[in-house]
Amino acid sequence: MAKRSVCFVGDELMLGLRDPEGFGWPQRLTRAERDHGHAIVNYVLGVEGDTTRDVARRWRAEAEVRLAGLPAAALVFCFGVNDQASDAGGVRVALPDSLYAAEAMVADAASWRAAFWVGPPPVLASGILQAGRQGQSLIYDPVRVRGLSQGFAAAAARCGVPYLDLCGVLGERYARALAQGNGVVPAADGQAAIADAVGAWKPWRDWLDKNTAPNLYFA
């Protein structure tokens, strides 16, 4: 039996805030993999409202507590939507700053553990308002989010880390779930759509299936 431990690191899109079951996409992905015989221990390290810079400040300490000494462990990153939100002061994190912080963080992670980079999912439309961490209104722009994802893809290539462009693979199913949510955080089926996309992603499958024995840990 090969037990695998995975830290999912990111923002509120991991937390299932608009899912009645309280399941974000990492929990749904883990449940599906367990159902298929994989023994996974998952740690969801998502924080509502976090930007790339916020994630970069905390990820290492949080992951080390959970993964230190474990031979079969990985980090799955998904962040960035909040970078490109704007408030009265403008865009929260300028694009060059997002790219610099993200590349440095993921390169560091990849030198320590298996690392996977899942890009920010699309938002429904510009002009959507959501309460920020300090109670301010934030405006999310789909064009900026897609541009950030393209920049992240290039950064991932430089790091040699596999990158999943959610803006490119999520379609009408996710758009419907966004409409049922708040346009930024989707309803439950949107979380399921992300889980399905990651679950079908070849780099994830290759890592998970390598040297995997039947699931006895969760029997």
Side-chain angles (χ1 to χ4, degrees):
M1 186 269 306
K3 182 180 71 175
R4 298 182 179 274
S5 298
V6 183
C7 283
F8 295 89
V9 186
D11 53 31
E12 66 266 30
L13 289 164
M14 294 185 166
L15 302 178
L17 298 181
R18 298 210 164 230
D19 184 344
E21 296 180 87
F23 284 171
W25 66 263
Q27 295 96 327
R28 290 177 176 273
L29 174 64
T30 300
R31 182 172 62 181
E33 299 296 2
R34 289 177 181 175
D35 287 346
H36 286 88
H38 297 289
I40 295 180
V41 176
N42 72 328
Y43 301 98
V44 181
L45 309 180
V47 175
E48 186 175 4
D50 261 12
T51 65
T52 298
R53 290 189 300 200
D54 296 324
V55 176
R57 280 191 289 265
R58 65 177 173 84
W59 78 270
R60 185 80 186 220
E62 295 179 7
E64 282 185 339
V65 170
R66 294 161 174 86
L67 302 184
L70 298 179
L75 296 129
V76 179
F77 292 93
C78 184
F79 51 80
V81 165
N82 291 314
D83 293 30
Q84 296 303 296
S86 60
D87 56 21
V91 175
R92 292 185 69 195
V93 183
L95 180 60
D97 293 338
S98 293
L99 297 177
Y100 178 81
E103 185 169 347
M105 170 171 52
V106 176
D108 186 20
S111 70
W112 178 53
R113 292 295 192 207
F116 303 89
W117 193 346
V118 177
V123 296
L124 187 59
S126 60
I128 293 172
L129 301 180
Q130 177 178 306
R133 292 180 70 177
Q134 285 74 45
Q136 78 273 33
S137 293
L138 300 175
I139 301 173
Y140 290 77
D141 186 326
V143 175
R144 288 201 298 262
V145 172
R146 289 180 181 275
L148 181 64
S149 184
Q150 292 170 359
F152 281 175
R158 290 191 294 271
C159 295
V161 172
Y163 185 81
L164 178 60
D165 178 14
L166 289 183
C167 286
V169 302
L170 296 176
E172 289 301 316
R173 176 187 179 189
Y174 193 76
R176 289 192 298 270
L178 281 175
Q180 294 164 3
N182 66 1
V184 178
V185 177
D189 196 47
Q191 298 285 356
I194 297 175
D196 290 347
V198 177
W201 186 28
K202 188 176 185 303
W204 168 258
R205 293 253 58 85
D206 287 348
W207 177 78
L208 192 64
D209 292 339
K210 183 179 179 181
N211 300 320
T212 298
N215 182 350
L216 303 178
Y217 187 80
F218 296 98

